């Protein structure tokens, strides 16, 4: 009997920790992750669950039993498709459309099979984000086209470095240097007119806007440790971008 209970609790913990890890690795707020984990545990017959979520680790335990487990959060990226998928599965389980074992299997599938947007589409979208700011700063078609291509180039460099070198913050630094050099060359060759506008537009796909927003939402929700950790990480990213651009200005302007 005790072994059966232990197996059920272990399965529940695996499900909650898997759901929490997927959400935290892909850009969810702390309070949303804790709420999802507690709802899964409550619907499994354990409303006395206790969860503690940070950006680097997830804890879950039961007040009525001496069981506690920890899951490491080793990656941080933005894929809100996975966050939405986990939320959807937890609601399906709440409505008894899924069993606990089926929920576990579907969460594992979400973790490895959830599709993301194709890389060419992401690169093209980065160009669109970059060039649309030219409507605010300048109506020059030269700057519009330059920001489009420089934004795509910067995003591509960032993606390749992140994929192959896997050095944190180095992708943003190198991408910003490439953006600054490209903008400088285009203006020098008189293919564009305003280097500042092109750089401002082209770095927009690299700016950690969602991370900063989630950081302040966590702080306002009372999760000070996670909020400050995310703010610090976002500041490092912003600093990497700024230093890369500054180097180009110091060396060439």
């Amino acid at each position: 009997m005790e072994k059966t209970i232990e197996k059920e609790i272990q399965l529940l913990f695996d499900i909650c920790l898997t759901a929490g890890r997927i959400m935290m690795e892909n850009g969810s707020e702390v309070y949303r992750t804790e709420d999802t984990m507690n709802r899964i545990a409550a619907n499994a017959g354990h409303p006395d669950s206790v969860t503690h979520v940070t950006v680097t680790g997830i804890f879950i335990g039961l007040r009525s039993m001496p069981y506690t487990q920890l899951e490491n959060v080793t990656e941080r990226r933005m894929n809100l498709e996975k966050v939405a998928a986990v939320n959807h599965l937890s609601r399906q389980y709440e409505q008894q459309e899924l069993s606990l074992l089926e929920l576990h299997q579907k969460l594992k599938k979400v973790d490895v099979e959830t599709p993301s947007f194709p890389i060419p589409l992401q690169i093209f979208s980065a160009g669109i984000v970059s060039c649309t700011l030219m409507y605010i700063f300048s109506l020059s078609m030269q700057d519009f086209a330059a920001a489009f291509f420089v934004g795509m180039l910067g995003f591509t460099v960032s993606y390749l470095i992140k994929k192959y070198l896997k050095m944190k913050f180095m992708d943003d630094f190198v991408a910003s240097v490439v953006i600054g050099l490209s903008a400088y060359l285009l203006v020098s060759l008189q293919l564009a007119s305003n280097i500042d506008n092109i750089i401002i537009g082209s770095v927009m796909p690299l700016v950690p806007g969602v991370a900063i927003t989630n950081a302040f939402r966590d702080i306002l929700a009372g999760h000070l440790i996670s909020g400050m950790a995310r703010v610090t990480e976002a500041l490092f990213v912003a600093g990497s971008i700024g230093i890369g651009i500054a180097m180009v200005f110091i060396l060439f302007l």
Side-chain angles (χ1 to χ4, degrees):
M1 183 67 177
E2 289 184 2
K3 289 185 177 180
T4 302
I5 294 175
E6 287 183 2
K7 287 182 178 179
E8 290 179 355
I9 293 175
Q10 183 61 57
L11 177 61
L12 175 62
F13 279 7
D14 287 345
I15 290 170
C16 291
L17 292 173
T18 300
R21 177 181 56 78
I22 293 172
M23 295 180 74
M24 288 304 296
E25 285 183 347
N26 292 280
S28 175
E29 304 91 332
V30 169
Y31 69 86
R32 189 187 305 277
T33 303
E34 289 184 347
D35 181 68
T36 298
M37 293 172 65
N38 286 326
R39 284 177 181 271
I40 292 174
N43 290 318
H46 295 281
D48 60 338
S49 64
V50 180
T51 58
H52 179 68
V53 176
T54 69
V55 292
T56 56
I58 302 171
F59 297 84
I60 185 169
L62 297 175
R63 289 188 177 91
S64 59
M65 298 180 186
Y67 298 111
T68 301
Q69 283 197 3
L70 163 68
E71 178 75 24
N72 289 325
V73 180
T74 57
E75 297 182 18
R76 282 177 293 281
R77 52 183 176 266
M78 288 297 159
N79 189 343
L80 299 182
E81 184 79 17
K82 288 189 177 184
V83 177
V86 172
N87 276 330
H88 179 66
L89 289 175
S90 68
R91 286 179 172 80
Q92 283 187 309
Y93 178 64
E94 183 178 9
Q95 296 168 3
Q96 299 182 348
E97 297 177 8
L98 298 173
S99 67
L100 202 60
L101 188 58
E102 289 173 334
L103 176 61
H104 194 203
Q105 293 171 345
K106 287 185 178 293
L107 282 172
K108 287 183 176 180
K109 185 177 290 188
V110 165
D111 195 19
V112 297
E113 295 183 6
T114 300
S116 59
F117 291 108
I119 296 303
L121 179 59
Q122 293 185 38
I123 294 173
F124 179 77
S125 300
I128 295 296
V129 170
S130 301
C131 69
T132 48
L133 282 178
M134 295 305 104
Y135 283 111
I136 300 174
F137 296 125
S138 170
L139 295 178
S140 169
M141 290 303 298
Q142 283 184 320
D143 289 351
F144 185 91
F148 178 78
F149 288 107
V150 173
M152 289 198 300
L153 178 61
F155 184 86
T156 303
V157 170
S158 175
Y159 168 77
L160 292 175
I161 293 177
K162 187 182 299 182
K163 181 178 180 180
Y164 294 108
L165 294 184
K166 297 180 180 179
M167 295 179 65
K168 193 68 175 175
F169 309 118
M170 183 58 69
D171 54 332
D172 297 303
F173 171 74
V174 176
S176 63
V177 170
V178 171
I179 287 172
L181 286 173
S182 301
Y184 169 75
L185 290 174
L186 289 173
V187 173
S188 299
L189 296 173
Q190 297 184 347
L191 298 176
S193 59
N194 193 309
I195 186 173
D196 294 335
N197 292 345
I198 296 170
I199 289 175
I200 292 171
S202 300
V203 299
M204 283 299 108
L206 306 179
V207 174
V210 177
I212 293 172
T213 301
N214 285 348
F216 281 100
R217 292 183 71 175
D218 284 340
I219 291 173
L220 293 175
H223 299 285
L224 301 182
I225 295 176
S226 296
M228 291 306 299
R230 279 180 162 164
V231 167
T232 302
E233 186 175 25
L235 288 176
F236 271 103
V237 173
S240 301
I241 297 171
I243 292 171
I245 298 298
M247 283 186 61
V248 174
F249 274 73
I250 291 171
L251 294 175
F252 297 97
L253 296 177

